[in-house]
């Protein structure tokens, strides 16, 4: 009972702080207004591995274009990918669209309230299911993301490295969830980690939990959470082929639906491997010139160096293999090109004088 009373005291202090200092975010409902599950879900999917600052404009744009989940379900995947372009981690966009279709077809356009049912939907994992259940439906679930992991490890001085510490962190966070205002508590924890219990410089003096924080008392808060050593990121190589038709059209290709950047458009490229292929398979037989410097981009598990080869052609037909189409270079901005391919476009358009014959 004493421990339960302590939990209630800690939770109450956080909610008092949240009432005074909650961030004003476009997806958050005002106090006393029931959250829209569609808005909660959309924001949580967008916020995965992405900053609040980067998400705000995308969120507003999506809601303006698809105000209801049925509108999003009726959109084409290509339109969704176009609207998502630049936000990264594109499997989220494919799952977003697939989830909207499932909610409309299987749940009559209404999100299920239970965490277990939410986890059966495309793109909704344990954290997102808990966040939606808590914020949209007031269910007593702890939504544990990176910010919350940091807060809880410091509060309880958990020195076990991540990811091994995750079950204990989840258990500790769940014990703090109050019977009432579970959604506000979930958002308060997120705000605390984002604004006060920061990664490198926690502002303990103004933290509502400063008197309860074991990490602070031991002088180790800034070193938490501990993390297991990261594996070395490998480098892969590839070649992107910039084919420009005499009338200004550029050759694009749609990537396979499954796999990295699935369903997105690309400047056609070779597979990305540890070594460049000996026999390069270009879309056309042509005289190719290449940019002096490769385009570089880092994904979660590898770093990519992508050489850019360029050619011009009067050819109107498309290469064999499917997925190709011609798009005028002035219209590339409207295509579902991931950040990597936008780097290729910029490099190809801005560095014409720095070409030399490929070989």
């Amino acid at each position: 009972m004493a421990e339960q009373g302590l939990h209630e005291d800690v939770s109450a202090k956080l909610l008092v702080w949240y009432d005074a200092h909650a961030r004003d975010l476009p997806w958050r409902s005002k106090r006393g207004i029931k959250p829209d599950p569609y808005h909660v879900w959309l924001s949580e999917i967008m916020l995965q591995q992405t900053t609040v600052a980067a998400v705000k404009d995308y969120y507003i744009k999506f809601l303006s274009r698809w105000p209801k989940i049925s509108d999003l379900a009726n959109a084409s995947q290509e339109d969704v990918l176009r609207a998502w372009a630049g936000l990264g981690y594109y499997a989220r966009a494919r799952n977003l669209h697939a989830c909207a279709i499932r909610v409309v077809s299987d749940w009559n356009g209404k999100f299920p309230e239970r965490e277990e049912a939410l986890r059966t939907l495309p793109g909704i994992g344990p954290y997102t299911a808990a966040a939606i259940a808590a914020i949209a439906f007031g269910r007593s679930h702890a939504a544990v993301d990176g910010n919350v992991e940091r807060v809880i490890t410091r509060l309880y001085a958990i020195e076990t490295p991540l990811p091994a510490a995750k079950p204990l962190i989840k258990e500790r966070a769940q014990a703090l969830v109050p019977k009432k205002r579970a959604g506000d508590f979930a958002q308060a924890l997120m705000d605390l980690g984002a604004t006060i219990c920061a990664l490198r410089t926690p502002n303990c003096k103004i933290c509502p939990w400063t008197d309860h924080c074991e990490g602070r008392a031991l002088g180790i808060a800034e070193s938490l959470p501990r993390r297991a050593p990261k594996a070395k990121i490998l480098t892969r190589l590839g070649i992107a082929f910039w084919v420009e038709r005499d009338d200004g059209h550029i050759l694009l290709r749609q990537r396979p639906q499954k796999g990295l950047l699935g369903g997105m458009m690309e400047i056609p490229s070779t597979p990305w491997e540890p070594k460049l292929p000996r026999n390069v398979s270009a879309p056309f037989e042509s005289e190719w010139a290449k940019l002096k410097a490769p385009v570089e981009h880092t994904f979660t598990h590898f770093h990519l160096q992508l050489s850019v080869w360029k050619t011009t052609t009067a050819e109107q037909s498309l290469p064999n293999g499917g997925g190709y189409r011609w798009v005028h270079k002035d219209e590339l901005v409207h295509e579902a090109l991931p950040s990597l391919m936008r780097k290729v476009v910029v490099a190809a358009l801005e560095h014409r004088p720095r070409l030399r014959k490929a070989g």
Side-chain angles (χ1 to χ4, degrees), residues 250-309:
I250 309 300
L251 185 67
L252 297 185
R253 179 175 64 185
Q254 186 174 34
R255 292 180 63 82
Q257 288 295 323
K258 293 184 178 180
L260 187 62
L261 305 180
M264 302 294 288
M265 300 304 294
E266 70 167 355
I267 307 302
S269 71
T270 64
W272 305 336
E273 303 290 352
K275 294 182 179 180
L276 287 175
R278 290 185 178 180
N279 299 316
V280 177
S281 179
F284 292 106
E285 290 187 8
S286 183
E287 290 292 324
W288 294 89
K290 67 179 179 180
L291 272 65
K292 184 177 181 180
V295 168
E296 301 199 30
H297 192 83
T298 299
F299 294 96
T300 304
H301 301 297
F302 69 93
H303 180 73
L304 178 65
Q305 292 182 346
L306 197 60
S307 297
V308 181
W309 291 18

Side-chain angles (χ1 to χ4, degrees), residues 27 46-47 50-59 86-87:
W27 46 84
M46 287 185 165
L47 286 165
T50 310
T51 66
V52 166
V55 165
K56 284 183 177 180
D57 288 344
Y58 280 89
Y59 173 83
L87 199 53

Side-chain angles (χ1 to χ4, degrees), residues 154 210-221:
R154 289 173 175 175
T210 189
D211 293 336
H212 301 282
C213 183
E214 296 178 23
R216 175 180 177 274
L218 294 171
I220 61 173

Side-chain angles (χ1 to χ4, degrees), residues 8 29 43 64 68 75 85 100 127 147 159 162 172 202 204 214 217 223 276 295 298 304 317 334 342:
E8 291 175 356
S29 296
S43 66
S64 175
K68 299 178 181 178
Y127 162 75
N147 279 332
E159 297 188 64
L162 290 169
R172 295 284 193 170
C204 299
E214 296 178 23
S223 69
L276 287 175
V295 168
T298 299
L304 178 65
S317 62
H334 302 302
R342 293 183 183 276

Side-chain angles (χ1 to χ4, degrees), residues 38-54:
Y38 174 48
H39 296 179
V40 175
W41 162 75
L42 180 61
S43 66
E44 289 297 336
I45 298 298
M46 287 185 165
L47 286 165
Q48 292 171 7
Q49 298 176 296
T50 310
T51 66
V52 166

